[in-house]
Structure formats: structure tokens, C-alpha cells
Amino acid sequence: MNKSFKSGFITIIGKPNVGKSTLMNALIGEKIAIVTNKPQTTRNKIRCILTEEEFQAVFIDTPGIHDPKTKLGNFMVGSSISAFSEADIILYLVEPTEKISKIDMSIIERLKNIKANIFLSINKIDKIERSELLSIIDKYQELFEFKEIIPISAAKRDGLENLTETIKQYLPIGPKYFPDDMLTDQPERQIAAEIIREKSLMLLQEEIPHGIAVEIMSMKQRPGKDIVDVEATIYCEKDSHKGMVIGKGGEMLKSIGSRSRADMERLLGSKIFLEIWVKVKKDWRNSDFLLKNFGYKK
């Protein structure tokens, strides 16, 4: 083992929609975590791996910390908080506003009991004047002694080189946990399900997406061919939502399917034959059995 090689785990935390998944995708240079403009898009912890000659950084993207209203919401917040203890570095991501919300205040209180190196990263700095940044930094510095404060724009890739270099400095000497070419520890089925959910989130109306779950029923290589047959089911909570997911003449489902297939082929490196069904499971977000069935396990 290279005695100067560094490795470690970096947990990315913050409220919904601050750009955690966008940042992680930008850092590893590949879209693994799904990204939409709707809050609470990420539901599970997702690990992605950045391997360079001198270090390996394992990033853990977490669901946004919010005030939960369902058992699914409780699972998501619990999943985020449990990731605090996995980290060598906690990267706390915030938006560039001077007003600090109640949820951010509660996150900062939790951080006071954590031993990891804690960075503050102010994202979306392309949305403000640089002169506003100093007063935002001051506000957060009054509340907590962060090891580093790093302004970035994940979407514009501004400040990411500085962030990566700073992370590298703080990583401990350690082993290579994953092979060089491995970008995520997510199983292919989970990646496929998340892609379908992302396209549904992007295409459907506001009230429907949070009531959607996706299950991959079957994923098999076709014998002797470079084709993977994927069968998936989209679950929604209401009969009226099922109609909207399918769309007039099946057009909405067709759009979800074609966009999902294109992303799956790019990420999985095979031709995909995708079939999607739509079923109703009323109030599944409050069912312990169904939450576990859909992969939201504690």
C-alpha cells in the first residue's frame, strides 16, 4: 500500500434543493445522483467515488433535511442524520442568503456534537454579487467554527477545484476502498429505478411526484445479445394520478420511458429494452411494509 495515499468519506448535508446531488455529480464528473428542481428528490444515501493518483474520496449524498410529514419523510431525515457518523469530513451545503432558517439552525446544533472536520460550502454564488458573500460568511461564522468555508457554484463548476484540493488536505492516510474505475456502489437496479423516478419528477405536475415510487421487477441480459430487458413498475398513491402518469393515449408514460432508456443506456453501457407498468398503492409513504419493499430501509 502507498503509505502517503489518502482516503476517506465525505458526507454532503443540507436542506432540500441546496444542490447536494448537483455538487456530487460535478465532483465525480458523471451524473449518478438524480437531479430535479423539486425538493426532496434524493430519498436514499448515495455513495459516489472520486479516485485520483494520490487519494480516493467517497462522497455520500443525503436526502435534504426537512420537517417530515410522512413515514417516508422520517426515513429520509433519519438517513441523512445517520450519515453524519460515517464521515471523515462533513460538507454542509447552504444557499447564499443572509437569513438562516430554522432547519439550518437545527442542523448547526447537531453539528456541535460531531467530531468530524466540518466544512461550510455556500453554493449558487453565481446568483449573488460577490460583495454579498462576506456578510453571509460572517453570519455563519458567528454560529459555528467551521474548519473551512468554501464558496462554490456546483452548476457552473466554480470553486470545485479549490473544494477538491481542500478535501484532499483533510483526508487521512488510508487504503483504496474501491477499484479505480468504480464511480458508485449503487446496484444497477437501484440506478435504473432512480432514473425512471427522475424522469417522472421532471415531466409530471407538482402534486404527483412525491407520491411516486419505482420498483425494478426484472433486469436480465438477453441471451447472446448486448440488450438488457428491464421491467419496471411506477407506483402512485391515487387512481387519478395513475391516469396522469400514463397520460392521454399513453403519451406521458412513453415520454418517461424513452428518456429513462436513453440515460440507462449511457450509464449502464448496454442497449435497453424497457417496459413500464403503473399501479396504485394508496398511502404507501406511510406503510412500513411498502417503504421497506421499495428500498427505504432503516
Side-chain angles (χ1 to χ4, degrees):
M1 188 182 92
N2 181 347
K3 289 184 180 175
S4 63
F5 191 82
K6 292 182 160 192
S7 61
F9 294 81
I10 302 98
T11 295
I12 306 172
I13 65 164
K15 291 193 308 183
N17 256 27
V18 292
K20 298 181 295 298
S21 298
T22 301
L23 173 59
M24 191 174 72
N25 290 338
L27 286 166
I28 66 163
E30 182 63 84
K31 185 182 168 191
I32 300 293
I34 68 172
V35 177
T36 76
N37 62 0
K38 294 184 172 73
Q40 298 165 41
T41 296
T42 302
R43 287 179 176 170
N44 258 318
K45 289 183 287 191
I46 298 168
R47 290 180 186 84
C48 287
I49 303 122
L50 173 65
T51 304
E52 300 286 355
E53 194 173 327
E54 299 170 339
F55 72 98
Q56 185 174 78
V58 183
F59 293 96
I60 305 167
D61 184 20
T62 62
I65 296 173
H66 62 286
D67 184 14
K69 303 288 191 292
T70 63
K71 285 187 176 180
L72 173 62
N74 288 331
F75 163 81
M76 288 160 64
V77 173
S79 179
S80 294
I81 290 165
S82 71
F84 285 25
S85 60
E86 298 178 37
D88 298 288
I89 296 167
I90 289 180
L91 187 57
Y92 172 35
L93 206 60
V94 299
E95 291 187 297
T97 56
E98 283 196 44
K99 188 174 179 187
I100 299 174
S101 70
K102 282 184 182 178
I103 289 174
D104 277 313
M105 292 295 287
S106 72
I107 292 171
I108 290 167
E109 281 304 308
R110 284 186 181 276
L111 292 177
K112 290 175 181 176
N113 300 315
I114 302 294
K115 290 179 181 175
N117 292 306
I118 299 169
F119 297 178
L120 175 71
S121 203
I122 300 164
N123 191 23
K124 307 182 185 180
I125 57 169
D126 53 305
K127 308 284 187 191
I128 60 164
E129 296 296 326
R130 292 281 168 153
S131 57
E132 297 173 65
L133 196 53
L134 288 177
S135 61
I136 295 168
I137 290 171
D138 286 343
K139 290 268 186 190
Y140 279 95
Q141 277 182 324
E142 287 169 15
L143 295 170
F144 190 85
E145 194 175 327
F146 295 97
K147 286 280 186 183
E148 300 284 348
I149 297 179
I150 305 163
I152 62 164
S153 169
K156 305 284 186 185
R157 303 190 62 83
D158 186 10
L160 296 195
E161 197 173 320
N162 179 33
L163 177 59
T164 304
E165 278 302 309
T166 308
I167 287 168
K168 178 181 157 187
Q169 287 169 28
Y170 280 83
L171 287 176
I173 301 293
K176 194 175 282 186
Y177 292 102
F178 298 97
D180 287 354
D181 59 350
M182 191 169 177
L183 292 177
T184 181
D185 66 350
Q186 276 191 293
E188 288 186 344
R189 278 176 176 246
Q190 191 176 341
I191 292 172
E194 284 290 272
I195 287 170
I196 295 168
R197 193 166 66 84
E198 177 190 55
K199 304 313 172 194
S200 304
L201 280 163
M202 290 168 69
L203 290 167
L204 291 164
Q205 294 173 22
E206 286 295 326
E207 77 272 16
I208 302 172
H210 295 309
I212 276 181
V214 178
E215 186 177 15
I216 301 299
M217 315 305 291
S218 171
M219 193 169 186
K220 293 177 184 170
Q221 182 89 31
R222 201 176 289 183
K225 296 191 176 178
D226 184 25
I227 298 172
V228 177
D229 291 304
V230 180
E231 297 178 6
T233 301
I234 295 175
Y235 296 96
C236 50
E237 291 186 306
K238 296 180 182 179
D239 291 317
S240 59
H241 288 177
K242 179 179 177 179
M244 293 180 198
V245 173
I246 294 169
K248 190 175 180 182
E251 284 302 312
M252 177 59 75
L253 192 58
K254 198 182 293 180
S255 294
I256 292 169
S258 61
R259 293 188 187 199
S260 299
R261 188 178 64 251
D263 263 21
M264 284 183 204
E265 289 180 344
R266 181 180 58 80
L267 265 178
L268 303 177
S270 297
K271 286 282 181 191
I272 301 290
F273 181 78
L274 175 63
E275 285 189 281
I276 305 175
W277 288 270
V278 184
K279 293 183 179 178
V280 176
K281 291 279 186 189
K282 290 181 179 173
D283 202 30
W284 68 263
R285 284 181 288 178
N286 282 309
S287 163
D288 291 324
F289 172 76
L290 289 173
L291 286 172
K292 190 174 181 183
N293 209 38
F294 295 151
Y296 306 122
K297 303 171 196 167
K298 290 193 176 161

